[in-house]
């Protein structure tokens, strides 16, 4: 494919990744081969919805060198390994899709998808864990590719790598992978609980408390206070120092958080199925996938609404579980808070699946602290450069 055409294709695929829900924010990346020696790939840390072909970076397959000031994705080495391994592969996408990410945390060496998914081969290999963007991660992918007979590789505690002869085949592989991983989780559930009819679309109905749970408020900081976004679509403008006696209980909690942390500008109260389950279990949740360590934090505490710990819990994390009420997900923007909620739900699902598969170990304390530190430093620089 010509370089210009390939860059346009990568831009369109990046938008498709976001719209499909296979990634959150800028997590994940896309590349396209343009010759035997080069490929083009999405840049590091850019919003895919506003990406232009001029920002797509051309990279050498052999030594990962590139020209220009725009930095390519830190996972360029992973993509290069796929192109080195199979000359028939022309398109690669790296996703953080939910079910594949859940499987990535379970300590499995491979997964058998069955004959229903022809692009996945006889088994899906789970590549050895390595920190994002490192040679260790790329080496693990190279080893997994030699064992694989399909168009996907699961990256332990990370996500998935899906590839094909063109964009359509790569996305089809990602779709088949997500369905196959969900089937593996469902089969395990049925094995553990054979007397229950399992329907993933009705999982919330398994929680008897759902029917009596109240709707919750979100909020957004303003110059002199915050706007409380009520469940029925209305909003209330609250100024610093206002008395909150006549407002919902959430108002006082949001006010306390804004007053104690100036970096938080948006609060989203999420109560999705797996997040709710962890809040009821009163667990501290540790990173099982590395985007959790980066964006959410090294752990997420579980407190009551009345507990003073909810504000201190947000000093080192972007979320806090509220007992029996889901979680408060916070960010500098609404998009940040939404991404936190997506990743929190995925990590909560991974914890639940770990129970079915005999437990799962979180990412090491050293690795999770390192990833969180690097992310905050990098994100801080990006925010300052945007000002």
């Amino acid at each position: 494919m010509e370089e210009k055409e390939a860059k346009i294709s990568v831009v369109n695929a990046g938008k498709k990744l976001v719209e499909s829900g296979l990634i959150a924010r800028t997590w994940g990346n896309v590349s396209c081969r343009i010759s035997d020696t080069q490929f083009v790939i999405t840049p590091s840390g850019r919003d895919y919805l506003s990406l232009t072909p001029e920002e797509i970076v051309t990279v050498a397959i052999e030594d990962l060198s590139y020209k220009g000031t725009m930095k390519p994705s830190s996972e360029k080495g992973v993509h290069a390994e796929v192109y080195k391994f199979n000359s028939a592969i022309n398109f690669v996408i790296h996703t953080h899709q939910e079910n594949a990410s859940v499987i990535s945390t379970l300590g499995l060496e491979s997964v058998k998808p069955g004959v229903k998914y022809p692009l996945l081969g006889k088994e899906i290999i789970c590549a050895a864990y390595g920190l994002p963007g490192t040679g260790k991660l790329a080496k693990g992918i190279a080893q997994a590719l030699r064992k694989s007979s399909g168009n996907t590789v699961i990256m332990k505690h990370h996500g998935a790598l899906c590839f094909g002869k063109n964009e359509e085949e790569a996305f089809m592989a990602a779709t088949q992978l997500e369905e196959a991983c969900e089937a593996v989780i469902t089969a395990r559930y049925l094995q553990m609980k054979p007397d229950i009819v399992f329907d993933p679309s009705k999982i919330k109905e398994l929680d008897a408390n759902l029917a009596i749970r109240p709707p919750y408020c979100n909020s957004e900081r303003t110059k002199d206070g915050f706007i409380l976004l009520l469940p029925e679509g209305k909003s209330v403008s609250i100024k610093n120092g206002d008395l909150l006696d006549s407002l919902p209980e959430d108002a006082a909690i949001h006010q306390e958080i804004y007053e104690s942390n100036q970096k938080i500008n948006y609060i989203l109260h999420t109560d999705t199925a797996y997040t709710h389950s962890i809040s009821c279990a009163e667990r501290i949740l540790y990173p099982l996938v590395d985007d959790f360590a980066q964006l959410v934090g090294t752990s997420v505490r579980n407190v009551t609404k009345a507990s003073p710990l909810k504000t201190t819990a947000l000093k080192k994390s972007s979320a806090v579980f509220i007992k029996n009420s889901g979680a408060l997900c916070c960010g500098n923007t609404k998009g940040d808070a939404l991404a936190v909620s997506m990743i929190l739900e995925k990590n909560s699902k991974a914890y639940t699946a770990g129970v079915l598969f005999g437990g799962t170990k979180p990412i090491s304390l050293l690795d999770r602290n390192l990833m969180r530190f690097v992310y905050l430093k990098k994100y801080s620089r990006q925010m300052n450069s945007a000002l």
Side-chain angles (χ1 to χ4, degrees):
M1 186 180 291
E2 293 293 329
E3 184 173 8
K4 184 177 180 180
E5 182 185 358
K7 289 185 175 183
I8 294 172
S9 180
V10 165
V11 167
N12 292 336
K15 292 175 182 177
K16 185 176 177 180
L17 265 183
V18 176
E19 292 164 357
S20 67
L22 292 173
I23 63 170
R25 284 192 43 160
T26 63
W27 274 260
N29 28 75
V30 183
S31 73
C32 179
R33 184 198 292 272
I34 58 174
S35 70
D36 291 339
T37 60
Q38 290 180 310
F39 63 97
V40 297
I41 191 169
T42 45
S44 177
R46 282 287 287 110
D47 180 358
Y48 292 151
L49 295 180
S50 61
L51 200 59
T52 66
E54 292 72 28
E55 294 173 300
I56 304 302
V57 188
T58 302
V59 178
I61 293 175
E62 189 58 39
D63 62 3
L64 305 182
S65 60
Y66 62 95
K67 294 180 180 179
T69 57
M70 187 68 69
K71 291 182 65 176
S73 166
S74 61
E75 304 296 6
K76 57 188 179 295
V78 166
H79 290 247
E81 290 299 334
V82 180
Y83 293 127
K84 289 177 187 176
F85 177 73
N86 189 339
S87 61
I89 297 300
N90 296 309
F91 212 90
V92 179
I93 57 175
H94 163 40
T95 74
H96 288 216
Q97 58 199 77
E98 185 174 280
N99 290 317
S101 295
V102 168
I103 293 293
S104 81
T105 69
L106 301 177
L108 305 175
E109 296 306 313
S110 66
V111 174
K112 295 187 184 301
V115 296
K116 185 180 177 181
Y117 308 103
L119 288 176
L120 305 185
K122 292 183 178 180
E123 61 179 347
I124 307 160
I125 305 301
C126 299
Y129 179 69
L131 284 168
T134 63
K136 181 179 178 181
L137 179 62
K139 182 179 179 181
I141 291 297
Q143 292 172 343
L145 287 168
R146 289 195 287 270
K147 301 175 185 176
S148 176
S149 59
N151 290 47
T152 62
V153 168
I154 289 175
M155 307 158 78
K156 286 187 178 180
H157 297 287
H158 190 97
L161 200 63
C162 306
F163 40 89
K165 61 179 181 291
N166 52 37
E167 176 186 339
E168 291 73 22
E169 188 171 84
F171 269 94
M172 181 58 69
T175 300
Q176 290 187 11
L177 177 65
E178 195 67 355
E179 291 178 5
C181 288
E182 182 177 59
V184 169
I185 296 168
T186 302
R188 182 66 174 184
Y189 185 91
L190 291 173
Q191 180 184 348
M192 301 289 286
K193 308 239 181 221
D195 55 329
I196 294 179
V197 176
F198 183 74
D199 183 350
S201 67
K202 296 183 177 181
I203 188 169
K204 288 190 175 185
E205 295 180 10
L206 298 177
D207 185 351
N209 295 322
L210 270 175
I212 59 173
R213 285 188 348 220
Y216 299 110
C217 301
N218 302 327
S219 67
E220 185 170 15
R221 187 193 291 274
T222 60
K223 269 188 177 180
D224 54 358
F226 64 98
I227 297 173
L228 190 69
L229 306 168
L230 304 176
E232 58 268 26
K234 298 179 181 179
S235 63
V236 178
S237 182
I238 300 171
K239 293 187 177 181
N240 296 328
D242 279 357
L243 296 176
L244 308 177
D245 294 345
S246 62
L247 293 173
E249 179 186 15
D250 293 356
I253 297 173
H254 289 225
Q255 185 179 65
E256 184 181 352
I257 291 171
Y258 285 127
E259 288 177 351
S260 65
N261 195 324
Q262 294 303 309
K263 293 182 180 180
I264 293 175
N265 293 316
Y266 197 94
I267 301 172
L268 170 66
H269 195 146
T270 182
D271 204 20
T272 45
Y274 291 100
T275 298
H276 178 77
S277 296
I278 300 297
S279 75
C280 292
E282 299 183 64
R283 303 283 185 183
I284 296 177
L285 191 64
Y286 296 103
L288 298 172
V289 284
D290 49 21
D291 53 5
F292 182 99
Q294 293 170 316
L295 184 61
V296 184
T298 56
S299 66
V300 175
R301 298 185 67 117
N302 211 318
V303 303
T304 65
K305 284 189 175 182
S307 171
L309 290 175
K310 60 183 172 293
T311 52
T312 55
L314 289 167
K315 294 293 184 182
K316 294 185 178 181
S317 173
S318 299
V320 59
F321 289 108
I322 306 297
K323 184 180 177 181
N324 299 328
S325 304
L328 298 177
C329 298
C330 307
N332 184 63
T333 66
K334 181 180 180 179
D336 289 345
L338 284 169
V340 169
S341 70
M342 286 174 63
I343 295 170
L344 185 66
E345 175 73 354
K346 179 173 67 175
N347 206 83
S348 297
K349 183 174 182 177
Y351 178 89
T352 305
V355 174
L356 295 176
F357 283 81
T360 182
K361 292 182 179 179
I363 295 168
S364 74
L365 181 61
L366 176 63
D367 284 351
R368 72 180 91 136
N369 279 324
L370 178 60
M371 282 188 284
R372 181 65 172 169
F373 174 77
V374 170
Y375 169 76
L376 290 176
K377 292 280 285 186
K378 180 179 179 182
Y379 184 68
S380 176
R381 287 198 300 270
Q382 289 175 343
M383 289 302 299
N384 289 334
S385 65
L387 296 177

